[in-house]
Amino acid sequence: MNYRVNPEFKVEEFDNEILLYTVSNATGIYLNQTAYLVWKMCESGTSIEEIITFLEKEYPEQRNEIRKDVLTAVTSLAASDALLKDNA
Amino acid sequence: MHNTGSFHVGFAEQNIKINWQGSDSRELIEFLCGDLPNNTSNNPRSVYDLEVDYAHSRFTLGCEERRLYCGDDCYELAYALINEIIYQCIVDLKDGLAIHAGAVHSGQGGILLPGKSGSGKSTLTAWLVSRGWRYLTDELVLLQGTNPKIIPFTRPVSLKAGSLKVLKSFVDFNKESAVAGPGGIMLAHRLMNPHFIQVTPPLALIIFPQYVAGSMTEITRIGGALGCAQLMECYVNARNFKDHGVERLAGIARTTPIYRLKYSSFDVLYEALNNAFPEFFHERSQNNIPS
């Protein structure tokens, strides 16, 4: 399954943290590092499987957690409508 | 023959006019709004008509042709009137960020306690005031300016019926000093701390209170992004700004220390706050009021 970012959401960067917010209803979503990485990679058109493969290669010592962390982040972002299912 | 008159609430530069009829009505409006600024320099935005008759338990509130309350519960009437005033003051407000929050003032600046209904912010505000902090509000503030100062909507402390037992553990009061009903109570903040002055202190600290029955007391520093996300949940006039004012809110979250407080009891809270924020929570009492 591929996802695309919801263009209604804007990014506000803090020191080591990210806030996503909508301009339509001022809802804020706090992103941890994994969620922000997922967001950025979805923004550039990368599929979820490609994100997992990339991260497992980059961080082999965390291989066991990466799939779960990415899917958790995707589920959370999709539940907030920050990520939309890409049916194309 | 009844005496009549008008009271003008000028919070956020608005003019909300309340016509009162009879001394009971006048006393109630002074109890509810006596610490709010007065403004008659512009035309009233809304005009309300208030009639209070304690002897016959008859309470009515209207606005032009609308009847907002008619019944025998003074608390419900007071609650409706305060909510109307707040709505009228902030519905078009663009000069300041309106945040649903309690607030107290220490000698080191204003402490903001944002939270949704049920978070325990009113009870915590009342408790802090009973321990010597100066009362600002238990409901709403405006944050104005880049180094924001707190403009409080100063009303009586309003608590749901469920908080009454806790309140009685640190405040002595009787029926005459409160507006009470089955749904809750409004209590004069001067009962908790008679040393009140109207101030608009700079914002120094933000604490998100969270009452969780049976929990341990926990105070956790949170970062700007999470703090901003939580502030957005308490931010009530966002739609009045082109970008929803998020950049201004983010600026506040970047420059103000933000904490989350989980608590279930006041027994150990004082020590926990004192340890976490010694500059704000050093020993205070009714005789040691911050200036």
Side-chain angles (χ1 to χ4, degrees), chain B residues 8 73 77 106 110 147 211 222 224 261 281:
Chain B
H8 295 261
D73 187 339
L77 171 123
S106 79
N147 295 311
Y211 176 82
I222 61 176
L261 164 66
F281 291 88

Side-chain angles (χ1 to χ4, degrees), chain B residues 193-255:
Chain B
N193 184 346
H195 302 273
F196 172 76
I197 53 167
Q198 284 175 325
V199 288
T200 56
L203 172 63
L205 178 66
I206 299 174
I207 301 174
F208 287 95
Q210 187 186 14
Y211 176 82
V212 180
S215 69
M216 299 284 285
T217 299
E218 286 176 20
I219 300 171
T220 314
R221 176 95 190 231
I222 61 176
L226 188 53
C228 189
Q230 289 199 234
L231 276 175
M232 288 171 77
E233 293 179 8
C234 308
Y235 177 29
V236 290
N237 66 332
R239 69 181 185 86
N240 296 346
F241 300 96
K242 193 179 174 187
D243 71 337
H244 287 262
V246 176
E247 284 185 20
R248 290 168 72 184
L249 210 58
I252 291 168
R254 281 192 182 92
T255 55

Side-chain angles (χ1 to χ4, degrees), chain B residues 44 135 190 289:
Chain B
Y135 180 68
R190 286 177 180 80
I289 303 300

Side-chain angles (χ1 to χ4, degrees), chain B residues 31 156 172-180 185-189 191:
Chain B
F31 171 77
D172 281 329
F173 64 94
N174 53 34
K175 275 174 67 177
E176 285 68 39
S177 54
V179 170
I185 185 168
M186 289 190 187
L187 195 63
H189 59 81
L191 288 174

